[in-house]
């Protein structure tokens, strides 16, 4: 885990932000002694915590700078942050909904509570290398029925015990689906006997990779060109669901953590 978490606070209406600005800027300058760097995304609206196109663009720019922990003030636009799900951490700050009366003390308490949880989540669940099952692509890799949707179950918040549950879930996925093969190292075998092997050549360049954008999965930066080489354990043809289609009669395919797939001849 990185020593310092980078957090951006979003959904901050203009009026309360300007009122608290001296204290918020002082908090930014100190870098939060509890161990984090901080940015704010101020809403264009003075009184409403709106997250519209302009705010989303700023959030995306902050993500490119490594601010992959997003803490949102209460907003009706929270669903707009879904585009960052599973790549970033998206927490709700526990403050009163009337942001025009927001005090620095209540904001600081909520932020420190979120920071503490994020540090514990990172220590237990943040992928540290290429072999985390959290980087496997949800649309493509099928797990045993009782492990369904483990990706989202590991994206837990607020309750401490959920971190332990998620850790146990990751360990179970690994024990059932991870294998070691001579000359290939770690491979993943899914419930349909498809073999996912990390291709260390890193040649699977996505549109984002070609544009020079940094990409993250569970707050961990994914190397440009990272993908899995997918075959069937018995060498026969298989089908594979990608982010946008189902590919039939595949002999080999490349797929990245987001399910972007290229079928190889």
């Amino acid at each position: 885990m990185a020593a310092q978490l980078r957090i951006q606070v979003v959904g901050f209406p203009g009026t309360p932000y300007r009122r608290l600005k001296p204290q918020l800027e002082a908090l930014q300058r100190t870098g939060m002694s509890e161990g984090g760097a901080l940015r704010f995304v101020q809403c264009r609206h003075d009184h409403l915590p709106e997250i519209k196109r302009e705010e989303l663009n700023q959030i995306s720019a902050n993500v490119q700078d490594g601010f992959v922990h997003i803490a949102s003030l209460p907003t009706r636009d929270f669903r707009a942050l879904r585009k960052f799900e599973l790549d970033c951490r998206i927490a709700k700050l526990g403050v009163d909904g009337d942001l025009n009366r927001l005090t620095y003390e209540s904001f600081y308490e909520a932020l420190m509570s979120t920071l503490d949880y994020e540090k514990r989540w990172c220590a237990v669940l943040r992928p540290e290398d290429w072999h985390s099952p959290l980087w496997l692509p949800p649309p493509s890799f099928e797990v045993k029925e009782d492990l369904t949707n483990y990706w989202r179950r590991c994206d837990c918040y607020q309750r401490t015990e959920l971190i332990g549950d998620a850790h146990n879930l990751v360990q179970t996925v690994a024990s059932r689906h991870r294998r070691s093969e001579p000359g290939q190292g770690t491979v993943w075998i899914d419930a349909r006997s498809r073999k996912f092997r990390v291709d260390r050549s890193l040649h699977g360049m996505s549109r984002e990779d070609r544009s020079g954008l940094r990409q993250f999965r569970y707050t961990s930066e994914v190397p440009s060109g990272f993908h899995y080489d997918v075959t069937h354990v018995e060498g026969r043809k298989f089908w594979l669901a990608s982010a946008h289609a189902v590919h039939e009669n595949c002999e080999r395919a490349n797929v990245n953590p987001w399910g972007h797939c290229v079928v190889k001849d």
Side-chain angles (χ1 to χ4, degrees):
M1 174 189 145
Q4 187 182 70
L5 300 185
R6 296 186 172 215
I7 300 178
Q8 52 175 316
V9 177
V10 307
F12 225 126
T15 297
Y17 178 80
R18 289 189 294 271
R19 175 169 51 81
L20 300 175
K21 187 175 181 179
Q23 293 157 297
L24 298 177
E25 289 185 341
L27 185 60
Q28 280 183 299
R29 286 194 299 271
T30 62
M32 296 191 295
S33 60
E34 290 77 6
L38 180 63
R39 281 187 184 175
F40 295 97
V41 176
Q42 181 182 343
C43 301
R44 271 58 177 178
H45 199 287
D46 278 344
H47 302 289
L48 297 179
E50 294 183 340
I51 302 177
K52 305 302 183 185
R53 179 181 299 176
E54 293 83 358
E55 289 82 9
L56 288 172
N57 288 341
Q58 184 58 58
I59 294 169
S60 295
N62 289 338
V63 169
Q64 288 300 300
D65 289 337
F67 285 80
V68 291
H69 295 262
I70 302 171
S72 175
L73 289 162
T75 173
R76 293 181 178 179
D77 294 334
F78 188 79
R79 293 182 60 165
L81 299 173
R82 280 188 173 178
K83 63 178 292 186
F84 303 103
E85 279 185 336
L86 302 188
D87 295 346
C88 300
R89 293 279 295 164
I90 311 169
K92 295 180 179 179
L93 289 176
V95 299
D96 185 80
D98 186 358
L99 299 181
N100 289 309
R101 297 184 179 182
L102 180 67
T103 65
Y104 177 75
E105 291 73 21
S106 63
F107 168 76
Y108 183 83
E109 180 181 357
L111 182 63
M112 291 305 105
S113 176
T114 295
L115 176 61
D116 177 66
Y117 192 93
E118 291 304 291
K119 288 167 66 177
R120 285 182 284 155
W121 183 92
C122 284
V124 175
L125 291 166
R126 184 179 187 269
E128 293 299 325
D129 56 39
W130 296 2
H131 302 306
S132 170
L134 292 178
W135 278 14
L136 290 164
S140 310
F141 191 88
E142 292 193 38
V143 293
K144 306 294 185 182
E145 186 173 340
D146 59 319
L147 302 175
T148 298
N149 213 20
Y150 76 87
W151 293 270
R152 292 197 178 276
R153 290 158 67 185
C154 289
D155 189 32
C156 52
Y157 297 88
Q158 297 180 336
R159 290 166 47 198
T160 300
E161 66 272 16
L162 293 180
I163 295 178
D165 293 343
H167 174 265
N168 293 338
L169 186 58
V170 166
Q171 296 302 310
T172 301
V173 172
S175 67
R176 295 192 191 179
H177 292 280
R178 185 171 60 195
R179 302 289 184 271
S180 181
E181 292 191 351
Q184 295 193 44
T186 297
V187 297
W188 298 89
I189 310 298
D190 81 347
R192 295 186 180 274
S193 298
R194 296 170 299 200
K195 179 167 60 178
F196 289 66
R197 178 183 61 84
V198 173
D199 190 331
R200 294 181 178 273
S201 67
L202 299 180
H203 65 77
M205 301 293 286
S206 66
R207 180 179 61 184
E208 291 78 8
D209 292 327
R210 290 191 293 271
S211 299
L213 294 175
R214 299 172 71 187
Q215 295 190 88
F216 299 86
R217 199 64 168 167
Y218 290 91
T219 74
S220 184
E221 187 166 4
V222 178
S224 179
F226 178 91
H227 66 281
Y228 299 92
D229 190 53
V230 186
T231 56
H232 195 278
V233 294
E234 297 176 357
R236 58 184 177 83
K237 293 184 178 181
F238 58 92
W239 64 268
L240 189 71
S242 70
H244 306 292
V246 174
H247 305 274
E248 304 281 355
N249 298 316
C250 302
E251 294 184 2
R252 185 165 64 92
N254 293 159
V255 61
N256 72 9
W258 297 271
H260 299 150
C261 180
V262 175
V263 177
K264 312 299 286 188
D265 296 328

